[in-house]
Amino acid sequence: MNAIGELLATLGTIELLRPAWLLALAPLALLLRRLAQGQRDAGAWRAVVAPHLLPHVTIPASPRGRRRALGLAGTGLIAAVVALAGPALPGKAELAYRSGATRVFVVDLSRAMAAGEGGDRRVERVQLKLLDLLQAAPGQTALIAYAEEPYLVAPPTTDAATLALLVPELVPGIVPLPGDRPERALRMAADVLARNGGRGGDVVWITAHREPSDDVAKAAVELAERNQRLSVIDAADPPAGQSAPAEALPRAAEATGGVYLPLRADDEDIRVLAARLDDGAAAVAATRRAARPREIGVWLLPLLLPLAARAFRRGVLLVL
């Protein structure tokens, strides 16, 4: 009894995804009724069909054979119409999980990035670091490139594969206006984070800028006021005779709670930065997806197979 009750409860939850197909049942019923009431005249077939094949292409004259043929045809057609109507059971709501991390990568494409004998090599190293970061620190990621003006290369997305396709195009010659205004790019990054998720988030600035201006310091203060952290990857070569970086870059990062990292040949800088990005991200953000109905009409289609096989023997025109 419990099994029967569960079956009835399940049947009560069935919904139709395409109920308009049920309108086809009305002309179908009229057609079957007309065929049931009419008399099949095989006289016309006798002129074109051999006598020993005639029983295989006409409905038997006996009432029992006629009822059986009409029953098979009606069952098959009704099953097909109901399957097309899309009967479905309610689906289960699903939780979609994604990383709560949101960050913007700001890439320096000024002349400083390509300056010096090792300029081309520096650009290649920056591109490789970006690819490593996309792989090591998944999450909502946006990409900004700048010289005189900042350009939003990609809005926040979790599609790291698409972002990776854009990275090889980030070369200094791609920007239309030469210059070096990182503060504009940092403010754009702050606005992107604010539009995407309110307060918080990370800005990762990859630069060859040795002596940032006061405007950069002000932009870093604005990031800190929005609870947004600035981390810096310094791709510049130290001046001759100096091993320590300019103090302005580490101070800008520390003022916002971020980290300053010189560009390294190994992956230690990526490891440290990825850990910091994960540390500042919300653990997991869960969103409930709407329940998707589970269509069961497809299971009615196997009922048509034996009927189709039967149609090749008798009543093929009626079944069609």
Side-chain angles (χ1 to χ4, degrees):
M1 294 298 294
N2 291 337
I4 296 177
E6 292 178 0
L7 177 60
L8 294 177
T10 301
L11 293 177
T13 62
I14 292 178
E15 58 179 315
L16 296 178
L17 302 180
R18 298 174 293 275
W21 273 103
L22 295 182
L23 297 176
L25 292 176
L28 176 61
L30 294 177
L31 174 62
L32 293 175
R33 182 178 180 183
R34 177 71 177 271
L35 292 174
Q37 293 176 346
Q39 296 294 327
R40 182 62 177 251
D41 185 11
W45 286 106
R46 291 191 177 94
V48 294
V49 178
H52 66 282
L53 295 178
L54 189 62
H56 300 286
V57 296
T58 60
I59 296 178
S62 65
R64 180 180 178 183
R66 183 182 297 276
R67 286 194 300 269
R68 184 169 61 246
L70 289 174
L72 290 174
T75 300
L77 291 173
I78 291 173
V81 170
V82 173
L84 290 170
L89 295 172
K92 295 181 180 180
E94 298 179 350
L95 287 178
Y97 296 96
R98 65 176 177 86
S99 171
T102 305
R103 72 291 306 266
V104 180
F105 294 158
V106 177
V107 184
D108 181 359
L109 296 185
S110 68
R111 291 177 178 176
M113 183 63 72
E117 295 181 358
D120 293 339
R121 177 58 180 162
R122 184 185 303 111
V123 172
E124 293 178 1
R125 291 173 61 195
V126 166
Q127 292 174 350
L128 292 175
K129 290 295 180 181
L130 271 172
L131 294 175
D132 291 341
L133 269 174
L134 290 173
Q135 190 174 32
Q140 289 277 343
T141 303
L143 189 58
I144 292 176
Y146 76 91
E148 179 67 19
E149 297 290 341
Y151 304 92
L152 182 60
V153 178
T157 178
T158 56
D159 189 356
T162 297
L163 291 175
L165 294 176
L166 300 174
V167 169
E169 306 301 325
L170 298 178
V171 294
I174 197 174
V175 291
L177 295 176
D180 194 359
R181 299 296 299 271
E183 70 279 0
R184 295 178 177 177
L186 296 179
R187 292 191 175 102
M188 175 183 280
D191 292 339
V192 169
L193 288 175
R195 290 196 302 267
N196 188 62
R199 295 179 61 85
D202 283 275
V203 177
V204 179
W205 179 23
I206 304 176
T207 181
H209 201 100
R210 291 304 307 173
E211 294 291 343
S213 64
D214 293 339
D215 291 332
V216 172
K218 293 178 181 178
V221 171
E222 295 171 7
L223 289 171
E225 291 174 351
R226 293 187 175 190
N227 197 31
Q228 297 166 345
R229 300 188 305 183
L230 173 64
S231 296
V232 180
I233 295 182
D234 187 358
D237 296 326
Q242 290 186 2
S243 58
E247 290 296 327
L249 289 176
R251 283 201 304 266
E254 292 171 4
T256 64
V259 294
Y260 168 86
L261 297 165
L263 188 68
R264 295 173 57 100
D266 57 18
D267 62 350
E268 180 65 16
D269 48 357
I270 298 299
R271 187 187 63 80
V272 173
L273 182 55
R276 178 58 63 96
L277 294 178
D278 290 339
D279 176 65
V284 170
T287 56
R288 183 174 293 274
R289 291 179 178 172
R292 185 176 182 179
R294 295 174 294 165
E295 189 168 352
I296 59 175
V298 65
W299 298 109
L300 294 174
L301 299 182
L303 296 177
L304 301 179
L305 297 179
L307 300 179
R310 179 71 171 84
F312 282 100
R313 185 170 182 269
R314 291 179 183 273
V316 62
L317 297 180
L318 178 60
V319 173
L320 290 176

